[in-house]
């Protein structure tokens, strides 16, 4: 059945078990289980539990020295036949539980507990089809785990490079005289498959790559899933399906057109590549085919060449824009993550800074919360107010991170600043905050502390510092300003100054 997809950063590709076995420094040797080149490892995990099932997520290379075997198997010095039988039963249950949990392979460390891999364990792995690796005494489990992470890092770097190169080639294709066919050709080539563009009436308008008849029919059906209904009610933005070994995906372009892709392989970054292509095709099949689109393109070129927003605003018409500031929850953003976020928000206008991604979104599109991101959204403004909207989005993001809210929008209510001339407000702010002029860290701490109603803990979270550091900085602010920060009137005046200084 088709499933909606959410654009995401390509996950770290798994490691082929064969690549781990090829590492001469590890000296690993497979002694049981199928020699299947498709077996992959998602991570390495060490456990001496008699039943590791509750601690496995699936895809692990489970490492054990067999510490648990004598006690769990009941080796109590009885008759050899009975001991061997009980040992065989134990290993059969042990391996069956690993397979049931989705474990990818088992690594058994030779020494210090066992001189050799137990034969009963070898037989159980052969019986259940679980690859069994012998880990020599000179190889530590931490060394095996480190090798897995190294191989994963290499695979991720290669995948990110592939995605980046694909993005560049798609952007170059979009600038050619025949942009739509060029983008489809590049997409089909990068995904080693077939790409087709359906028009608003459901007919095929362009395609690239070889396409069997069965795949053509399946793509046509999947495209209907994401096409708006007769009432204009929008459906899912994307959907996936399979046809044998072929992966199918369809993307609604928001202009009535639908992009459909078929590929016999599915790499982690393929969805990101297809999302970038769908954004480009949305622009090519939508307003950029009109005079308004040409005017907007001209406006962006003039901005890049140094024109002021006020000078190019007439070219952009009466449309409004929203600025979004976004920060990922787990790590610093990269180019792939930024592009995927822009695709999710429906705009290719993305700026990647050191720790924040900025996206300029047409005002007709309402930015929504995105999994794994914290967003600050400005008010919808005309081009001449883009700098103000940028500041609004930055403040909204700061509030979102401080309050751990996925998305915060700039409030539209008029403020006290509307009661004073801007020059007077700025002069007042400079005078009041003059003692902090040479202490940017103190100023930023005071700003966050006031925004979070004097909460030490939430301010520490927002600034990524210890709560005691916040206390020391606020005490220093009170000393330099020679004022009582517990006084609500003082706080109000300082907050006004910080907002307009």
């Amino acid at each position: 059945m088709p499933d909606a997809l959410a654009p995401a950063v390509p996950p770290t590709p798994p490691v082929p078990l064969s690549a781990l076995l090829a590492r001469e420094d590890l000296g690993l040797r497979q002694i049981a289980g199928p020699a299947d080149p498709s077996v992959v490892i998602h991570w390495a995990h060490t456990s001496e539990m008699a039943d590791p099932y509750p601690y496995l997520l699936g895809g692990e290379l489970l490492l054990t020295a067999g510490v648990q075997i004598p006690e769990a198997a009941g080796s109590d010095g009885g008759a050899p036949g009975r001991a061997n039988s009980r040992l065989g039963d134990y290993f059969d249950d042990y391996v069956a539980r690993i397979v049931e949990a989705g474990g990818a392979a088992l690594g058994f460390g030779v020494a210090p507990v066992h001189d050799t891999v137990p034969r009963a364990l070898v037989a159980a792995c052969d019986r259940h089809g679980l690859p069994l690796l012998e880990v020599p005494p000179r190889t530590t489990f931490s060394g095996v785990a480190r090798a897995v992470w190294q191989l994963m890092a290499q695979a991720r770097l290669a995948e990110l490079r592939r995605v980046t190169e694909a993005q560049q080639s798609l952007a170059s294709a979009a600038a050619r005289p025949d942009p739509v066919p060029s983008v489809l050709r590049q997409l089909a080539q990068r995904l080693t498959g077939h790409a087709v563009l359906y028009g608003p009436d459901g007919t095929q308008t362009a395609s690239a790559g070889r396409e069997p008849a069965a795949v053509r029919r399946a793509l046509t059906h999947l495209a209907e899933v994401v096409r708006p209904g007769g009432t204009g009610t929008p459906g899912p933005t994307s959907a996936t399906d399979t046809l044998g070994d072929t992966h199918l995906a369809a993307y609604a372009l928001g202009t009535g057109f639908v992009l459909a892709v078929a590929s016999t392989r599915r790499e982690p970054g393929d969805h990101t590549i297809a999302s970038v292509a769908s954004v480009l095709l949305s622009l090519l099949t939508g307003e950029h085919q009109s005079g308004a689109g040409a005017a907007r393109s001209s406006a962006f070129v003039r901005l890049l060449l140094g024109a002021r927003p006020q000078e190019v605003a007439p070219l952009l018409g009466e449309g409004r824009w929203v600025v979004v500031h976004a920060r990922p929850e787990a790590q610093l953003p990269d180019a792939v993550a930024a592009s995927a976020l822009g695709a999710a928000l429906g705009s290719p206008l993305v700026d990647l800074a050191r720790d924040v991604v900025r996206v300029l979104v047409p005002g007709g599109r309402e930015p929504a919360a995105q999994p794994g991101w914290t967003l600050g959204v400005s008010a919808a403004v005309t081009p001449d107010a883009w700098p103000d909207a940028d500041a609004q989005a930055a403040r909204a993001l700061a509030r979102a991170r401080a309050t751990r809210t996925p998305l915060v929008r700039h409030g539209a209510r008029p403020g006290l600043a509307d009661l004073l001339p801007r020059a007077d407000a700025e002069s007042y702010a400079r005078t009041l905050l003059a003692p902090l002029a040479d202490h940017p860290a103190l100023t930023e701490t005071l700003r966050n502390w006031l925004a979070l109603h004097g909460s030490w803990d939430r301010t520490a979270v927002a600034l990524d510092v210890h709560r005691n550091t916040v206390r020391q900085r606020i005490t220093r602010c009170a000393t330099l300003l020679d004022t009582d920060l517990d006084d609500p009137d003082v706080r109000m005046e300082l907050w006004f100054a910080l907002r307009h200084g």
Side-chain angles (χ1 to χ4, degrees):
M1 294 296 293
D3 296 319
L5 287 177
V9 183
T12 300
V15 175
L17 180 59
S18 58
L20 198 62
L21 291 169
R23 290 279 296 256
E24 295 182 359
D25 58 320
L26 298 178
L28 302 178
R29 185 168 65 95
Q30 183 171 349
I31 58 176
D36 186 351
S38 66
V39 175
V40 294
I41 304 298
H42 289 268
W43 40 66
H45 175 64
T46 301
S47 174
E48 301 297 342
M49 302 295 294
D51 180 11
Y53 179 93
Y55 307 96
L56 299 180
L57 297 175
E60 295 92 348
L61 167 61
L62 179 63
L63 300 170
T64 179
V67 175
Q68 80 283 10
I69 291 174
E71 178 181 354
S75 300
D76 54 3
R82 177 187 298 179
N84 289 336
S85 176
R86 298 180 68 176
L87 195 60
D89 291 341
Y90 165 74
F91 280 126
D92 191 75
D93 292 340
Y94 178 74
V95 173
R97 292 288 281 173
I98 296 175
V99 172
E100 184 181 357
L106 176 64
F108 193 91
V110 177
V113 181
H114 299 272
D115 295 332
T116 61
V117 181
R119 294 181 180 178
L121 177 58
V122 175
C125 287
D126 276 330
R127 188 161 48 251
H128 290 279
L130 180 69
L132 174 62
L133 312 184
E134 179 186 75
V135 184
R138 64 180 175 83
T139 301
T140 63
F141 287 174
S142 60
V144 175
R146 181 173 57 188
V148 171
W149 298 128
Q150 288 174 344
L151 290 170
M152 292 176 70
Q154 294 170 5
R156 175 171 172 77
L157 179 61
E159 184 68 0
L160 290 177
R161 184 180 295 114
R162 183 179 76 91
V163 171
T164 300
E165 292 174 352
Q167 290 175 311
Q168 293 171 346
S169 66
L170 288 169
S172 298
R176 293 174 183 169
D178 56 342
V180 171
S182 296
V183 169
L184 291 176
R185 283 195 297 270
Q186 277 295 325
L187 180 60
Q189 177 183 339
R190 295 292 173 173
L191 301 186
T192 316
H194 176 76
V196 57
L197 183 67
Y198 295 97
D201 58 354
T203 59
Q204 178 177 313
T205 61
S207 65
R210 300 183 63 180
E211 176 193 24
V215 172
R216 184 185 307 114
R217 290 191 295 270
L219 286 178
T220 301
H221 173 73
L222 191 62
E224 293 302 319
V225 175
V226 299
R227 191 182 309 282
T231 60
T233 302
T237 58
S238 61
T240 61
D241 204 348
T242 57
L243 181 66
D245 295 332
T246 302
H247 299 270
L248 310 176
Y251 304 84
L253 302 186
T255 58
F257 287 77
V258 174
L259 169 66
V261 180
S263 176
T264 54
R265 63 181 180 86
R266 187 67 173 174
E267 300 297 334
D270 286 353
H271 178 58
T272 301
I273 295 173
S275 296
V276 172
S278 68
V279 171
L280 291 172
L281 290 170
S282 295
L283 298 174
L284 294 171
T285 58
E287 59 188 355
H288 275 245
Q289 299 285 14
S290 65
R296 179 169 296 173
S297 177
S298 176
F300 291 149
V301 171
R302 295 188 191 184
L303 283 173
L304 292 173
L305 296 179
R308 295 180 303 169
Q310 294 86 341
E311 297 173 353
V312 302
L315 292 174
L316 298 174
E318 300 300 326
R320 291 179 171 268
W321 297 77
V322 170
V323 178
V324 177
H325 279 216
R327 184 165 178 173
E329 297 171 358
Q331 58 189 12
L332 292 179
D334 55 28
V336 176
S339 295
L341 176 65
L345 296 177
S347 174
L349 306 175
V350 178
D351 173 40
L352 174 60
R354 188 182 68 86
D355 57 353
V356 172
V357 176
R358 300 190 301 175
V359 185
L360 190 60
V361 180
R365 296 176 180 141
E366 190 72 14
Q370 301 297 320
W373 292 86
T374 302
L375 273 60
V377 181
S378 76
V381 300
T382 52
D384 60 315
W386 280 346
D388 292 337
D390 187 47
Q392 293 174 3
R395 291 194 295 267
L397 177 61
R399 290 197 299 272
R401 295 189 66 228
T403 57
R404 300 182 181 180
T405 304
L407 184 147
V408 169
R409 302 181 190 277
H410 175 75
R413 295 184 309 172
L416 291 176
D418 297 329
L419 304 178
L420 294 174
R422 185 181 183 88
D424 292 346
E426 292 176 350
S427 176
Y428 171 80
R430 285 194 299 270
T431 301
L432 186 61
L433 298 175
L436 302 181
D438 296 329
H439 305 280
L442 296 181
T443 303
E444 186 63 19
T445 302
L446 180 61
R447 183 193 310 277
N448 280 271
W449 184 73
L450 291 172
L452 297 172
H453 310 291
S455 171
W456 309 108
D457 292 327
R458 291 200 292 165
T459 304
V461 170
L463 297 174
D464 292 329
V465 299
H466 195 275
R467 68 194 306 271
N468 288 342
T469 301
V470 176
R471 287 183 176 274
Q472 293 168 3
R473 291 180 180 178
I474 294 302
T475 300
R476 179 64 173 158
C477 288
T479 301
L480 290 174
L481 295 170
D482 190 22
T483 191
D484 180 10
L485 294 181
D486 290 330
D487 188 330
D489 290 335
V490 171
R491 291 193 185 191
M492 185 268 297
E493 293 175 355
L494 287 172
W495 178 246
F496 180 88
L498 288 167
R499 288 284 304 276
H500 301 93

